[in-house]
Amino acid sequence: GAVVSQHPSRVICKSGTSVKIECRSLDFQATTMFWYRQFPKQSLMLMATSNEGSKATYEQGVEKDKFLINHASLTLSTLTVTSAHPEDSSFYICSAQRSLGLANPHEQYFGPGTRLTVT
Amino acid sequence: QKEVEQNSGPLSVPEGAIASLNCTYSDRGSQSFFWYRQYSGKSPELIMFIYSNGDKEDGRFTAQLNKASQYVSLLIRDSQPSDSATYLCAVKGDAGKSTFGDGTTLTVKP
């Protein structure tokens, strides 16, 4: 399968600070990347869909000014949690979708996730 | 009604048995169907995808799709303790966005 990396894997920050999480597709180009959040023992919750070169599309209830997403290239998307609060503590997972033209154009591959703890 | 429904489980099977995981979806226009495995504390891992009605086999895994019944399943043959995880069903429509079920927790007992 395709490889998607995320950095950092774990971060602890103080309340009020901002945290940037990087998501990279290492061996394929991803026109679309997705950002999810998962609280303990709960399902994945889609936060936003990020398309290369355009503004991200946020799901209902997700504050776009708090969760800044940039998809500057076909292999990199970033999520910045601004003015983080303890309730933002969660497991953040990105996912990259292969560009059209390959055998299975709808395959979506997940990064290993970033565990954010806000103190 | 949720867009993608799965039994939360836990589903417990003995080692060597067949584990059967089920998923129903509400959007008849759904195009692609995926099964992911997620170990505790880890991100999901794609294990199977299916686009057409019928069965698709890959090793010990078989995905079954019935679009008329809006039903997709995953069979795991010769279940191993290492198969113990949460299995997520995902359904994707024309918009390209996947909708995930809440997952079924599988425990394979030695």
Side-chain angles (χ1 to χ4, degrees):
Chain A
V3 180
V4 178
S5 71
Q6 256 183 269
H7 178 80
S9 59
R10 191 178 293 267
V11 58
I12 300 172
C13 70
K14 291 188 176 180
S15 186
T17 61
S18 295
V19 173
K20 180 186 280 190
I21 303 170
E22 289 188 352
C23 177
R24 293 181 185 272
S25 56
L26 298 183
D27 54 357
F28 67 99
Q29 292 184 330
T31 52
T32 304
M33 289 186 173
F34 303 91
W35 286 95
Y36 295 86
R37 180 166 55 180
Q38 188 175 39
F39 293 105
K41 298 192 184 302
Q42 293 187 24
S43 185
L44 291 169
M45 187 189 81
L46 179 65
M47 299 175 67
T49 302
S50 167
N51 290 298
E52 185 265 338
S54 62
K55 289 184 179 180
T57 303
Y58 290 82
E59 295 299 301
Q60 193 172 8
V62 178
E63 298 176 56
K64 63 179 181 180
D65 294 330
K66 180 172 180 64
F67 299 100
L68 301 178
I69 291 172
N70 184 284
H71 192 163
S73 77
L74 286 171
T75 59
L76 173 64
S77 177
T78 61
L79 167 68
T80 302
V81 183
T82 62
S83 187
H85 288 99
E87 58 265 32
D88 297 324
S89 299
S90 188
F91 191 41
Y92 290 85
I93 312 172
C94 74
S95 175
Q97 182 168 280
R98 289 181 187 260
S99 301
L100 296 176
L102 296 178
N104 300 300
H106 297 292
E107 286 181 38
Q108 190 174 327
Y109 294 91
F110 285 88
T114 296
R115 193 160 301 281
L116 170 64
T117 303
V118 184
T119 61
Chain B
Q1 183 190 6
K2 289 184 178 178
E3 292 181 55
V4 179
E5 298 227 33
Q6 295 181 251
N7 289 328
S8 62
L11 172 66
S12 182
V13 300
E15 184 174 357
I18 296 175
S20 177
L21 304 160
N22 304 316
C23 173
T24 58
Y25 60 95
S26 60
D27 182 3
R28 282 196 172 275
S30 300
Q31 305 271 328
S32 321
F33 307 86
F34 303 83
W35 283 99
Y36 292 85
R37 176 176 61 198
Q38 187 175 23
Y39 293 112
S40 180
K42 303 292 185 183
S43 68
E45 172 192 9
L46 178 66
I47 53 174
M48 287 285 289
F49 58 88
I50 186 167
Y51 302 141
S52 305
N53 276 327
D55 294 1
K56 179 181 178 183
E57 188 175 316
D58 184 1
R60 295 186 297 113
F61 300 98
T62 299
Q64 299 175 315
L65 174 62
N66 183 326
K67 289 186 177 180
S69 300
Q70 295 173 244
Y71 174 91
V72 58
S73 66
L74 179 70
L75 300 178
I76 306 175
R77 287 182 300 282
D78 188 24
S79 296
Q80 301 297 308
S82 59
D83 294 327
S84 298
T86 296
Y87 289 80
L88 302 170
C89 169
V91 175
K92 187 173 291 208
D94 281 342
K97 186 173 70 174
S98 288
T99 301
F100 285 81
D102 289 343
T104 298
T105 301
L106 171 67
T107 301
V108 180
K109 296 187 175 181

